[in-house]
Structure formats: structure tokens, C-alpha cells
Amino acid sequence: MSDRHYLEKELQALLRNDPQIFEFLQSGSLDGIWYWDLVDQNAEWMSARFWETFGYDPASKQHLVSEWQEMVHPEDLERALENFQKHAEDPNHPYDQIVRYKHRDGSTVWVRCRGLIIRDAAGNPSRMLGAHTNVTELKKVEEELRQANEALRRSNEELEELTYIASHDLQEPLRVVASFTELLSERCENELDETATKYMNYIVDGTHRMQGLVRDILQLSRVSRRREAWQDVDLTAACECGLGRLEEVVKESGVAVALTSLPIVKGDRSQLETLFENLLSNAIKYSHPGDVKIEVSGETDPDGTVTVHVKDNGIGFEQHYSDRIFRIFQRLHGRSEYSGSGIGLAIVKKVVEHHGGDVWCKSAPGEGSTFSFSIRET
Ligand code: ADP
């Protein structure tokens, strides 16, 4: 007691001796206080501010427990009484909850209600002191935010659905255009002059690019946030499968892939295979042909976080582009040098985020790149 600050001691004394101080504290900092007789159980003193918060004239109210209990939402009253029991049995269990009161005008007032049981010399509950804080405004903001989030989620879902349908349905007419332009180009091979042949090649090339773009957009829109397909996924197998999808390119460019055993995680197998497919396809594409070495390794932290690295010995890029390249359609290399739509890494990022993780890369021009991602283990 003796090491209490002198001002604290002074304030305690003021509180004891000057009723104005108590009045200031209870009306200036709280939205009501109450003091309950736990021996009588019916008698409870409520401050004037207590009633004013709910729109009542304090003079019209009696100092009885029943006066407030009938204004509280029944579910919240039940919860508050449960907490009261627990706090009575164990002082360490806090009596602290948000309850809904009915205002005189019929609206709801959200109140944070905290209380402390005061015990007699034998340790039996004798009184209870409580304080109210009106949190209605906070609750309203919380509700508005929840509604805004819900609207955003719905509109995102609609957009994803639309992207999926559009890219899926565009594939068929595009296939028709692509195959007939190719047929036409073969058929007219000897009849077209140099300029017409050039134009024809542009058309064929443009159609192929559009097919690639539509395919990538479709893949991006397929990375849904749904978790129905979640299961234990062996990342080694997912990586091998991603590599398998690149069989032709792998054969062509004589790639050497060193894959060490990777952990098992909870996730969407098909999405994780797509993730590896995109990282490996980039590692092969942005490389020095004839000398492509890729290393895939991973580790698990003591907290269960799994981190995987895909390292290549390719052309690399300036480190300050490392955030930008994960954005859709962002490319550092021209189409004439390297084909692509700028969607692969956006897919990777979406998959990783869907798995509650993070993705990043380290690179330098001419020194290769390492793309890493982390997700939490099962
Ligand atoms: P795309 O490969 O279709 O262009 P991505 O989204 O997969 O699209 O990649 C975005 C850009 O990031 C690429 O255009 C390239 O400039 C750069 N990039 C990605 N991976 C690598 C890599 N392994 N090495 C060097 N540059 C890369």
C-alpha cells in the first residue's frame, strides 16, 4: 500500500470525502453504474446516467433488479447470469459481456457490462459493483463493415463466375477461328502474295495468343476460394505432377530438376499442382536454353509453416520488380523475346493466398531467381 503514488492516495481520499468527485467519475466516464445487494438480491442502486442511457427519467425508476432485467434481451440476460454464476464461483472468471438493452423508443442499445463481486470476510459474495459503457455506435460501424464485406464478397464471387463463364465459353468459337484460319493459310499457301502471307501469319499468331490468354484467364478464375476439395496434399507429388504437365517443354529444353522431398499440407491438390506448373514453366522459360537447372526444396518451421523454394539459374531480373510481377498482366520481358500473358504469377499468388500463405522472390539479372512460398502445415 505504501508504494502507491501520492496522487492516487489523494484521489482515494477525495473520493471518500467529496461526493462531487464520485459524481464526476460515474457520470463523466461511464454510461451508468450499479451496485447490487447480493444478500437481499432484489435491491440494486442504479445511477441516473444508467437510466438516461436508455431514455428514462431516473425518477420514474425504482432501485430494483427487476427494473433492468426486463429490459435486457432474454438471450443476453441468460448469458450475463451464467457469467455471474461463474464469477461468483471463481473471482478470476471475468463478469464482462456485451448485452442488448431495449431503449424507451424501442431501439436497441448495446452495452458493455462489467462487474466485480465484493465478498465478506468469509469470502461469500455480499455486493456487486458494475459499470456500463454504451457501445451502440461501435456496434453500428461493425455491422456496416460486415454488410460492406458481405457485398464485396458477393460481387467478387459474381465477377469470378462471370470471368469463368466468359473465358470458358470463348474457347469454343476461338477454336473454330483458329482451326479455320490455319486451314485457310495452308490452302492458300501458294496463292497469296508476300503481303497477304504476312497478314495471314499475323492472324494465325494473334489467334494462338488469344487462345493462350483465354486459357490463362480461365485457369485464374478457377482458383476459387471454396474449401470443399481440401485434403492432405503431398507437395512432392504436386510438384511432380506440375512438371508432368510441362513434359514437352522439359524434353525440348533438356531441363535438370533436383527435387528434394517436400512436406504434406492441407490444401487443394489441383490448385497446388497448377502453382508448381506455373513456377516451373517460368523457371524453364526465362532461362538460358541448353543449361536449365532447377532446384525445388522445402522446410517446415517449428510452428508448422511450410516454405518451398523454386530456384532457377535463368536470366533473373532486378529485385525491385519482385512485387510488381505478381500483379495480373505485369511482364518484365517483351512478347517478342518470351511468350506469355502475364497471368501465371497472379495465379500463383491467388493459390498461395487461398492457402493462407505468402509468396515472394529473390532475383538479380543474370543470376537466376528463387521463388518461395509459405503455407501452414495441416
Ligand atoms: P508470363 O510468364 O506469362 O509473362 P507471369 O505472371 O508468369 O507471366 O510472370 C510475370 C513476369 O515475371 C514475366 O513476364 C517475367 O518478366 C517475370 N518472371 C517470372 N518468372 C521469372 C523467372 N523465373 N525468371 C525471370 N523472370 C521471371
Side-chain angles (χ1 to χ4, degrees):
M1 281 297 237
S2 57
D3 56 3
R4 278 189 316 169
H5 195 276
Y6 77 96
L7 286 174
E8 188 190 351
K9 282 194 258 177
E10 200 175 298
L11 181 62
Q12 296 274 1
L14 269 176
L15 262 168
R16 269 195 300 274
N17 303 326
D18 187 346
Q20 264 191 11
I21 299 299
F22 170 72
E23 189 53 34
F24 170 79
L25 276 184
Q26 62 98 359
S27 63
S29 56
L30 293 165
D31 298 302
I33 60 170
W34 44 269
Y35 191 52
W36 188 5
D37 183 345
L38 296 184
V39 181
D40 176 324
Q41 295 254 336
N42 288 319
E44 183 169 342
W45 175 83
M46 273 81 70
S47 68
R49 180 75 176 267
F50 182 104
W51 293 116
E52 284 156 8
T53 302
F54 307 122
Y56 290 96
D57 174 359
S60 70
K61 291 288 179 185
Q62 301 179 70
H63 290 290
L64 293 173
V65 170
S66 54
E67 288 279 53
W68 67 265
Q69 286 200 344
E70 60 200 28
M71 289 163 59
V72 180
H73 193 291
E75 280 170 20
D76 298 351
L77 180 62
E78 200 178 313
R79 203 157 38 86
L81 293 177
E82 246 172 55
N83 261 343
F84 168 76
Q85 273 312 328
K86 287 182 185 158
H87 177 58
E89 283 155 23
D90 172 9
N92 290 323
H93 182 91
Y95 181 83
D96 184 351
Q97 64 271 304
I98 291 179
V99 289
R100 285 161 291 176
Y101 271 83
K102 197 169 182 176
H103 192 277
R104 196 170 165 215
D105 66 12
S107 64
T108 300
V109 183
W110 296 81
V111 164
R112 180 173 177 193
C113 178
R114 282 168 285 181
L116 178 74
I117 288 184
I118 293 154
R119 291 159 203 268
D120 61 19
N124 297 318
S126 62
R127 301 281 187 266
M128 188 167 183
L129 175 64
H132 275 187
T133 313
N134 186 351
V135 292
T136 310
E137 285 311 307
L138 272 177
K139 277 280 168 193
K140 278 185 190 156
V141 173
E142 198 177 281
E143 178 57 17
E144 278 166 19
L145 273 176
R146 197 195 59 75
Q147 282 179 10
N149 264 339
E150 178 60 19
L152 199 66
R153 194 191 57 75
R154 257 186 278 120
S155 104
N156 264 342
E157 258 179 28
E158 276 167 28
L159 209 62
E160 269 174 15
E161 183 90 4
L162 186 77
T163 318
Y164 174 77
I165 292 169
S167 45
H168 182 265
D169 289 7
L170 269 174
Q171 280 191 318
E172 178 51 25
L174 253 176
R175 207 171 295 134
V176 175
V177 175
S179 25
F180 281 98
T181 26
E182 268 169 46
L183 275 179
L184 194 66
S185 142
E186 280 166 28
R187 189 83 173 265
C188 310
E189 209 180 354
N190 303 320
E191 292 159 40
L192 300 178
D193 64 18
E194 204 182 319
T195 314
T197 307
K198 201 164 77 186
Y199 291 169
M200 192 53 115
N201 289 341
Y202 286 155
I203 297 173
V204 173
D205 179 50
T207 324
H208 282 154
R209 270 195 288 124
M210 203 190 284
Q211 277 186 307
L213 191 64
V214 168
R215 197 191 45 236
D216 287 352
I217 293 177
L218 186 63
Q219 206 177 41
L220 180 70
S221 72
R222 270 189 180 145
V223 184
S224 79
R225 306 223 162 254
R226 280 187 270 276
R227 289 190 166 206
E228 287 110 57
W230 275 40
Q231 53 185 301
D232 282 344
V233 183
D234 178 353
L235 288 179
T236 314
C239 181
E240 278 163 353
C241 185
L243 195 63
R245 295 191 199 166
L246 304 164
E247 203 180 347
E248 263 178 50
V249 205
V250 171
K251 267 191 208 148
E252 270 170 30
S253 41
V255 183
V257 181
L259 167 62
T260 56
S261 172
L262 302 174
I264 292 171
V265 295
K266 258 264 178 305
D268 185 309
R269 183 191 303 269
S270 148
Q271 288 184 13
L272 291 164
E273 288 168 0
T274 302
L275 175 152
F276 277 111
E277 179 189 352
N278 280 296
L279 289 181
L280 292 166
S281 135
N282 280 351
I284 298 169
K285 184 164 51 168
Y286 301 103
S287 66
H288 308 290
D291 173 32
V292 190
K293 292 196 180 71
I294 302 173
E295 284 169 36
V296 184
S297 58
E299 73 256 353
T300 307
D301 280 0
D303 74 347
T305 305
V306 169
T307 307
V308 176
H309 313 278
V310 178
K311 181 173 188 277
D312 66 51
N313 63 338
I315 57 171
F317 53 86
E318 298 280 359
Q319 181 64 30
H320 63 263
Y321 290 124
S322 61
D323 280 339
R324 198 172 112 181
I325 53 173
F326 289 101
R327 283 186 231 139
I328 192 164
F329 300 136
Q330 295 290 330
R331 309 197 68 222
L332 306 178
H333 304 94
R335 213 176 42 232
S336 54
E337 291 173 278
Y338 300 95
S339 64
S341 56
I343 298 178
L345 288 180
I347 294 175
V348 168
K349 191 171 162 70
K350 201 168 169 194
V351 171
V352 171
E353 282 177 353
H354 180 198
H355 287 78
D358 212 354
V359 60
W360 65 97
C361 63
K362 291 257 174 301
S363 188
E367 290 183 22
S369 314
T370 302
F371 283 79
S372 310
F373 66 87
S374 67
I375 42 185
R376 285 191 64 80
E377 214 186 355
T378 21

